[in-house]
Amino acid sequence: MPPKRLSGSEPRPKVQVLSWVAEWKPHLSAKAARCIALGSLIENLYGTIMVSMLGARAKPAAAMYASMRNARAQADAVRAVARVTLTQEELDFLDAVKVICDRAKKHRHHFAHWIWARADSYPEAITLINPADLLEYEANQPGMVQSNNDNRGLQSSFDPSGCLIYDEQALDEALAELIEAEELLAQLRILYVDFARKIRAAGDPLELPILEHPKVKAEVEKLVLRRARNANGDS
């Protein structure tokens, strides 16, 4: 479930840029910090999956992956290797789990890259401001400069409707999504090591929860259906 958004209707909520909300609400900040940590762990796991797929040829690819600073470029590199290494079924599992991970990682992106703030209508929550919205607000009033950038209230001309509200429930849900995504990705890696691929190729059962996970199965079904439609020329 996504976090709530602030209302943009009148009277508009008062929003205060406030980085030290992290100290003011330490129990919430600790959960936000774990969201960031899990997101980084997920990105690292993509690299370890590529290493698993390549086996003895992994060292040069691992060095290349580590040199990439863009998460999308890293994901593209992993999928390029997957296309020439995996069976279609294995590739479907990778794509399905990536959908789940990308959905969960949005929380990590918000906490790491959006502006931390406080809204008077949600005093028990972390409010996050989209940097693009704050920049637009600044651009609309270039003559007004405040000496304090942090710990400042935004004027009523600021539209808060793009702000996200992470109260304790929203944070718990975000954490649950990221934990599930990381665990699924860790299980996926096991599918791609040599011994597991040989077991599956021989037709022997490999008992991993990911193979029967309802969210993964649902995403795989979507991929199979989309591929069938494309093969038939359907839109």
Side-chain angles (χ1 to χ4, degrees), residues 47 50-51 54 57-68 77 81:
M50 184 167 68
V51 168
L54 290 173
R57 300 165 293 164
K59 283 190 176 180
M64 177 196 69
Y65 183 91
S67 70
M68 296 177 180
V81 171

Side-chain angles (χ1 to χ4, degrees), residues 13-187:
K14 294 178 181 178
V15 179
Q16 181 183 14
V17 174
L18 195 66
S19 66
W20 54 267
V21 72
E23 300 173 28
W24 180 56
K25 293 292 181 185
H27 65 296
L28 298 183
S29 301
K31 293 180 179 182
R34 192 178 178 201
C35 286
I36 295 173
L38 282 164
S40 299
L41 190 56
I42 286 170
E43 290 176 2
N44 178 261
L45 266 171
Y46 276 115
T48 63
I49 281 176
M50 184 167 68
V51 168
S52 296
M53 288 189 290
L54 290 173
R57 300 165 293 164
K59 283 190 176 180
M64 177 196 69
Y65 183 91
S67 70
M68 296 177 180
R69 300 302 177 197
N70 182 282
R72 175 170 289 185
Q74 289 178 330
D76 288 345
V78 172
R79 200 177 191 286
V81 171
R83 279 200 302 268
V84 297
T85 308
L86 304 181
T87 65
Q88 185 62 63
E89 181 189 32
E90 292 169 334
L91 186 58
D92 284 346
F93 274 110
L94 177 64
D95 288 341
V97 173
K98 185 177 184 301
V99 169
I100 295 169
C101 288
D102 286 350
R103 190 183 301 137
K105 279 170 54 185
K106 288 181 180 179
H107 301 294
R108 185 263 182 198
H109 177 82
H110 292 151
F111 287 117
H113 299 291
W114 284 34
I115 311 300
W116 287 44
R118 178 181 184 272
D120 64 345
S121 50
Y122 289 93
E124 297 301 316
I126 297 173
T127 298
L128 298 178
I129 305 173
N130 188 329
D133 292 345
L134 188 58
L135 189 61
E136 182 180 355
Y137 164 79
E138 305 283 8
N140 288 336
Q141 43 187 11
M144 191 183 76
V145 179
Q146 293 176 251
S147 59
N148 57 321
N149 183 54
D150 195 5
N151 190 20
R152 62 184 170 120
L154 302 180
Q155 303 297 313
S156 59
S157 57
F158 174 71
D159 181 2
S161 60
C163 294
L164 299 177
I165 303 300
Y166 278 91
D167 56 16
E168 191 146 21
Q169 180 181 351
L171 271 161
D172 287 341
E173 290 173 356
L175 261 178
E177 283 186 51
L178 282 157
I179 290 169
E180 179 181 58
E182 189 274 335
E183 290 175 349
L184 288 173
L185 200 57
Q187 289 180 39

